[in-house]
Amino acid sequence: MTTDPHEVAPVLEADAAARHNQDAGPILRLQGVGKRFPGVVALRNVSFDIQRGEGHVLLGENGAGKSTLINLLGGLFPPDEGSIWFNGAPYSPASPLEAFSKGIRVVHQELNLLSNLTVAENLLFEHLPSRRGLVNYREMNRRAAELLAEVGLDISPSTVVSRLGVAQMQLIEIAKALAHESKLLVLDEPTATLTSKEVDRLFEILHRLKERKVTTLYISHRLQEIYEVGDRVTVLRDGQHVTTEPLKGLAIPDIVRLMVGRTVTDQGVFREDIKPTGEALAVEGLRLTETSPPIDFSVRNGEIVGIAGLVGSGRTEAVRAIFGADPKASGTIRVNGRPVAIASPKEAVAAGICLMTEDRKQQGLLLEMSCAENITITDLKRLSRKGLLDRAMENAASERLVAGLRVKTPTIFQKVGTFSGGNQQKVVIAKWLYRGSSVLICDEPTRGIDVGAKVEIYELMGQLAAEGKGILVVSSDLPELMSICHRILVFSNGRLAGEVPRAEFDQNRILSLAYEEYGRVRGN
Amino acid sequence: MSEGTESAGERKTATVWDNFLRISMREAGVAIALVIIVLFFSATAPYFATPENFLKIFVQIAINTVLAAGMTFVILTGGIDLSVGSVLALCTVVGATIMVREDLSPWMSIPLALLACMATGAACGAINGWVCEKWKLPSFIVTLGMLNVASGLARVVSDNSTITGLPQPFVDFGNQIYFGVLPSIFLIAIIVILIGWFILRFTVFGRFVFAIGTNEEAVRLSGHNPRIFKIAVFTISGLTAGIAAMVFLLRLNVGSPIAGIGYELNAIAAVIIGGTSLSGGKGSIIGTLVGACILQVLATGLQLLGAEDNVKPIVIGTVIVLAVVLDTYRNRYLRKLEAR
């Protein structure tokens, strides 16, 4: 794949080391692995090896397929095609428990601790020391204390987990993985919540594990730190394998270049004819917490502004705060030049702002209710006189929007829970069009939607912009933002790291901005 | 992803048939069960199929139906109200206390008692809802607390005694029977059900009750404040407990602080048998009426069959669980129907 001259020697060294090893051959081998979800191909023909005892780093943009891959390893679901070999044998776990008993331990980013139990109980939960069904607390606490010492946590084993901080919980998760002899330890963004001192501690542990020949698969957004734990790196892009090569000699800009380069396929949806005017939405000094950096930006009428950034970079948090869905510490918001006080979604909607949430099913729709009922829920007053609903009016309004947005449904009385992702998203758009909002905030508007429906959604956004609405689009799909937006704001680790106008759109530059703040944190 | 493959014409006809099935499965399903049970007892139990017996059933059904009507609103939003039994007790003593006052003419005291009952019940309900929403507590806990508080208040108001000697016009109205089989208190229950049905079916408020039960967060993010509606449904439940207290006074002619013990559970049973989902968002108040009928028909029928008193609760308990089991199968079937 690459012609980097640095590559040759270390590979030969690794081969030599493997030959000396008794169980020669890679610990994990993926061959042509593919996985589809409704509307998206998450992994496509991925093949690579992880060598025994190495520190392997897995990189890729949002949506590149990293999570799908580790979920396959963790036994959450099987691949649709291809095969996985672990420790020389075919590997197809039916459950996380089976994955774990075969020696693969996945430490997920979101913590899976039992928060009402003690640290010791959590650490040894899979195999509590017991005699005749009674828990041997003394033995349990003794072993837990050992594990805590190993990860350098100075807390009592009998502390209840819910009283710990997030970083401490993260270390508990890692200690839990140490409690059981695992051959492959998968760490998904373990340092996201840790301070630099705790990160150092984690790396010490990882070095020690390496001496014990434990293989690690390490996923992180902080590109600086991967050099400390990784021997080789695998890069995924768009669900496909890009390269697997030694980290030595690979500089951060090289890595970023490997991660970007997705082709922009949805050309032609950008509306050159729209000339944005006025100010639809202005955000000044928005702080999510007292200590977070202020966020300032604006969206003009007829303009589509993208927000790029890694998952967890504060994109979703910012738009939810603007909409009043979550509380904010401070900040001024103006709609069409008028300052508005927004403390709840109700006030935001009244001011003309709407939010299409990233999670359609949980937050956007009434899945068990009809298409018409979902559309009109944003403004029932308009359909009623003295509290009585006018159903004929409701049906007419819904029919009009369903036809206008080309929602595919036999009748407007169909439950939206039975719709495809693309049609559900259209219903979400319809409900806000029905409300007549002037500022549309769309969080991941095309997630889980097939390509044809995506283009329809883009065209719809262009049309709405042409009608003078201000549109803010949060997306993990960079090519998508580049094809539809006038400008892209880039969030990085809670900060608005920069703004890129359409004339200067460049994947490399945007992604570098998105990773910018994560490098600095390590330096502190 | 599969849509658009069939022609619109095929879909339309399928929908008519599906709608028929859906309606017969949901609303009519419980009614069919009721008809079967009635036919069964008519054939097997002596005296069951007589006007006198139906009259008796109608009388016995009234209180529970009124309570269950309000309970339906609460359960549709995904809440529960355990306090209605003792709120009813509190309201009976409040109402009776007013009506037995000799300085008021019956034509003054009766409407005043009705108002006081409704106000007391609504106040208890509003407190339930407000506490739930203010501190984001589960309604199970809050209404369990109100169950005890209202019960204690009833004892305080009544000074721990039953109150008798209600005005004669009031007692007469309670014994009134229309068209031979329709007791006045049953008509009150029917009116309450009809009002509830109208609200749930035709008003904006009713739409919100279902929407909040389906997905409260989506309602909030659609720019509404679900809290107001949730406080309102508890107020409605309290209000119907107040009305049920008047029905209780009409039927038994005594106000008692120990009235209504266990009534909340009968009301919940009627709602659940009637097909309303405990997790909210799905159900109907007509179903609740049918559910209340099924409970009482079973109790009366078993008695007429000569079943021992101890056997009755065993059968009724089984039926409640069976109704929910059947409901899960029914929902699974309906989902399959809709996925087509």
Side-chain angles (χ1 to χ4, degrees):
Chain A
M1 291 250 167
T2 169
T3 52
D4 193 335
H6 295 285
E7 179 197 2
V8 186
V11 166
L12 289 178
E13 269 171 35
D15 279 352
R19 246 173 271 130
H20 283 290
N21 201 319
Q22 282 186 331
D23 330 81
I27 184 121
L28 188 81
R29 162 164 284 174
L30 282 84
Q31 262 173 340
V33 169
K35 180 76 196 171
R36 282 157 214 284
F37 293 108
V40 279
V41 181
L43 287 177
R44 195 195 315 251
N45 193 20
V46 171
S47 307
F48 70 97
D49 291 349
I50 296 179
Q51 298 300 330
R52 211 169 281 274
E54 76 170 338
H56 201 102
V57 177
L58 183 63
L59 294 176
E61 271 189 279
N62 299 326
K66 294 176 310 223
S67 307
T68 309
L69 191 92
I70 60 174
N71 285 340
L72 287 176
L73 295 181
L76 266 75
F77 40 69
D80 294 332
E81 53 206 36
S83 57
I84 305 177
W85 294 70
F86 178 63
N87 210 14
Y91 173 77
S92 54
S95 68
L97 190 68
E98 199 183 326
F100 156 65
S101 65
K102 285 196 168 165
I104 294 188
R105 182 91 209 189
V106 180
V107 178
H108 288 281
Q109 196 180 351
E110 62 280 7
L111 304 168
N112 294 313
L113 296 174
L114 306 163
S115 57
N116 291 325
L117 298 186
T118 67
V119 168
E121 284 164 334
N122 268 284
L123 285 175
L124 299 165
F125 192 74
E126 276 94 354
H127 200 83
L128 288 174
S130 63
R131 189 184 298 164
R132 294 198 194 116
L134 296 179
V135 176
N136 182 345
Y137 278 96
R138 184 184 288 185
E139 171 67 9
M140 183 178 77
N141 285 334
R142 190 186 61 75
R143 276 171 52 189
E146 282 176 14
L147 289 166
L148 290 174
E150 202 164 340
V151 295
L153 261 182
D154 187 22
I155 53 172
S156 159
S158 53
T159 313
V160 174
V161 164
S162 62
R163 296 177 55 188
L164 301 177
V166 184
Q168 287 173 313
M169 290 192 199
Q170 183 75 59
L171 288 173
I172 298 278
E173 279 280 15
I174 289 159
K176 200 173 156 188
L178 300 181
H180 311 274
E181 210 48 54
S182 31
K183 297 194 184 73
L184 174 64
L185 182 63
V186 182
L187 297 168
D188 187 5
E189 293 245 29
T191 56
T193 54
L194 301 188
T195 65
S196 68
K197 201 175 140 214
E198 290 161 331
V199 171
D200 289 340
R201 182 77 210 165
L202 173 68
F203 289 163
E204 249 175 69
I205 298 164
L206 292 179
H207 284 304
R208 222 161 338 115
L209 284 174
K210 199 164 180 187
E211 281 160 21
R212 276 163 46 186
K213 298 283 177 235
V214 175
T215 316
T216 50
L217 179 61
Y218 191 91
I219 293 149
S220 181
H221 280 152
R222 300 182 178 178
L223 295 182
Q224 258 87 355
E225 67 187 29
I226 62 174
Y227 292 95
E228 303 209 28
V229 293
D231 301 314
R232 293 199 304 155
V233 57
T234 289
V235 179
L236 296 179
R237 182 203 300 153
D238 241 356
Q240 282 171 304
H241 179 251
V242 176
T243 182
T244 298
E245 56 187 278
L247 255 178
K248 209 179 270 175
L250 214 53
I252 288 182
D254 300 329
I255 295 175
V256 170
R257 209 168 302 132
L258 287 170
M259 287 196 288
V260 301
R262 268 200 278 171
T263 42
V264 182
T265 47
D266 316 300
Q267 287 296 354
V269 285
F270 184 70
R271 297 275 295 257
E272 302 282 353
D273 57 315
I274 305 170
K275 295 283 167 273
T277 53
E279 174 196 86
L281 173 75
V283 176
E284 276 171 15
L286 173 72
R287 287 175 199 269
L288 304 183
T289 63
E290 298 292 347
T291 53
S292 62
I295 295 165
D296 298 85
F297 67 88
S298 69
V299 180
R300 289 187 290 168
N301 291 309
E303 191 179 31
I304 303 180
V305 176
I307 296 187
L310 303 168
V311 172
S313 61
R315 320 171 303 188
T316 296
E317 290 79 356
V319 294
R320 281 181 65 90
I322 293 168
F323 185 63
D326 292 326
K328 58 177 186 284
S330 61
T332 317
I333 290 159
R334 286 197 308 267
V335 177
N336 294 323
R338 267 201 351 268
V340 285
I342 294 174
S344 68
K346 189 176 178 167
E347 286 160 330
V349 171
I353 303 178
C354 76
L355 173 67
M356 303 173 195
T357 53
E358 55 178 339
D359 189 343
R360 281 190 294 276
K361 290 177 188 241
Q362 298 304 314
Q363 301 179 340
L365 293 169
L366 307 160
L367 292 177
E368 294 285 321
M369 296 178 80
S370 77
C371 175
E373 286 169 325
N374 269 280
I375 291 172
T376 56
I377 189 76
T378 48
D379 191 4
L380 288 169
K381 262 188 200 140
R382 184 139 50 97
L383 291 178
S384 60
R385 191 165 297 168
K386 291 180 183 156
L388 293 186
L389 277 174
D390 183 338
R391 296 218 176 212
M393 223 164 117
E394 172 173 42
N395 295 344
S398 309
E399 292 279 12
R400 209 163 41 241
L401 282 160
V402 162
L405 300 189
R406 278 176 289 164
V407 181
K408 289 178 198 121
T409 175
T411 72
I412 55 166
F413 307 110
Q414 205 78 1
K415 282 186 189 171
V416 294
T418 64
F419 287 13
S420 69
N423 272 326
Q424 286 185 345
Q425 190 63 36
K426 285 183 188 171
V427 174
V428 173
I429 296 175
K431 81 185 224 185
W432 290 115
L433 292 187
Y434 172 72
R435 186 66 176 80
S437 308
S438 57
V439 177
L440 277 66
I441 306 176
C442 319
D443 196 353
E444 298 283 4
T446 61
R447 176 186 286 175
I449 292 180
D450 58 60
V451 181
K454 272 187 188 177
V455 174
E456 279 190 83
I457 304 264
Y458 300 149
E459 284 168 355
L460 209 55
M461 284 181 176
Q463 204 180 310
L464 293 170
E467 287 166 20
K469 296 192 191 299
I471 300 177
L472 194 57
V473 186
V474 178
S475 177
S476 292
D477 189 343
L478 207 45
E480 164 176 298
L481 290 181
M482 289 167 65
S483 63
I484 59 172
C485 295
H486 291 82
R487 279 185 294 145
I488 294 177
L489 311 169
V490 188
F491 275 66
S492 182
N493 205 9
R495 254 197 65 215
L496 181 51
E499 180 186 320
V500 185
R502 185 166 184 89
E504 296 166 29
F505 277 180
D506 170 48
Q507 294 204 40
N508 242 318
R509 177 167 173 208
I510 296 171
L511 211 57
S512 297
L513 277 172
Y515 278 96
E516 193 177 80
E517 291 295 316
Y518 295 92
R520 282 187 202 157
V521 173
R522 269 299 279 142
N524 291 344
Chain B
M1 300 196 54
S2 64
E3 79 278 350
T5 49
E6 295 167 72
S7 79
E10 272 168 9
R11 282 240 136 173
K12 276 265 155 60
T13 51
T15 311
V16 173
W17 173 240
D18 287 354
N19 276 336
F20 170 75
L21 269 181
R22 191 172 304 139
I23 288 164
S24 61
M25 288 290 285
R26 183 159 299 155
E27 270 77 29
V30 220
I32 291 167
L34 175 62
V35 170
I36 291 170
I37 296 171
V38 168
L39 289 176
F40 170 76
F41 284 123
S42 302
T44 55
Y47 312 114
F48 184 85
T50 58
E52 294 76 31
N53 186 46
F54 283 122
L55 182 68
K56 209 173 99 196
I57 289 175
F58 287 149
V59 167
Q60 285 167 329
I61 233 168
I63 298 170
N64 191 27
T65 303
V66 176
L67 284 178
M71 186 70 77
T72 308
F73 280 81
V74 175
I75 293 182
L76 276 174
T77 60
I80 194 95
D81 189 349
L82 298 178
S83 69
V84 292
S86 55
V87 169
L88 175 139
L90 172 62
C91 293
T92 62
V93 296
V94 167
T97 308
I98 292 172
M99 280 193 280
V100 294
R101 281 177 63 157
E102 285 172 4
D103 54 340
L104 291 174
S105 81
W107 307 115
M108 273 298 285
S109 71
I110 293 171
L112 210 59
L114 176 64
L115 276 178
C117 274
M118 286 168 48
T120 308
C124 291
I127 292 168
N128 277 335
W130 182 75
V131 172
C132 284
E133 292 307 307
K134 173 80 183 171
W135 287 284
K136 298 196 164 63
L137 297 175
S139 52
F140 189 96
I141 299 299
V142 175
T143 58
L144 186 62
M146 180 57 82
L147 183 153
N148 288 291
V149 171
S151 170
L153 282 176
R155 282 158 216 261
V156 171
V157 172
S158 65
D159 204 10
N160 252 327
S161 55
T162 52
I163 302 163
T164 53
L166 301 182
Q168 199 53 44
F170 185 76
V171 175
D172 289 342
F173 175 68
N175 292 329
Q176 194 74 245
I177 292 163
Y178 302 98
F179 314 113
V181 286
L182 291 178
S184 56
I185 57 173
F186 181 68
L187 284 176
I188 294 174
I190 294 296
I191 290 167
V192 170
I193 288 283
L194 286 177
I195 293 172
W197 173 77
F198 180 83
I199 292 172
L200 287 175
R201 181 106 179 78
F202 295 107
T203 66
V204 173
F205 176 78
R207 173 67 59 82
F208 274 113
V209 169
F210 280 98
I212 288 168
T214 304
N215 187 344
E216 184 177 343
E217 183 63 2
V219 172
R220 188 177 81 95
L221 294 176
S222 296
H224 304 291
N225 184 358
R227 291 170 150 205
I228 293 167
F229 297 100
K230 287 176 85 184
I231 294 172
V233 292
F234 280 99
T235 309
I236 289 174
S237 180
L239 183 74
T240 54
I243 297 170
M246 282 305 269
V247 174
F248 183 95
L249 290 172
L250 283 167
R251 183 178 158 213
L252 297 162
N253 303 329
V254 289
S256 162
I258 54 165
I261 293 172
Y263 281 18
E264 60 280 345
L265 298 181
N266 283 332
I268 294 168
V271 176
I272 299 304
I273 291 176
T276 297
S277 158
L278 255 187
S279 52
K282 264 181 292 183
S284 85
I285 202 166
I286 303 295
T288 297
L289 172 64
V290 178
C293 291
I294 288 178
L295 276 176
Q296 191 56 48
V297 165
L298 272 177
T300 310
L302 286 169
Q303 197 174 12
L304 291 175
L305 273 180
E308 276 182 62
D309 273 1
N310 303 339
V311 176
K312 272 199 293 181
I314 297 176
V315 174
I316 290 172
T318 311
V319 166
I320 294 171
V321 178
L322 209 66
V324 181
V325 172
L326 281 176
D327 199 52
T328 61
Y329 279 104
R330 199 169 56 172
N331 283 330
R332 211 174 295 167
Y333 178 77
L334 284 171
R335 210 160 292 143
K336 235 190 265 166
L337 212 68
E338 272 150 14
R340 275 216 309 247

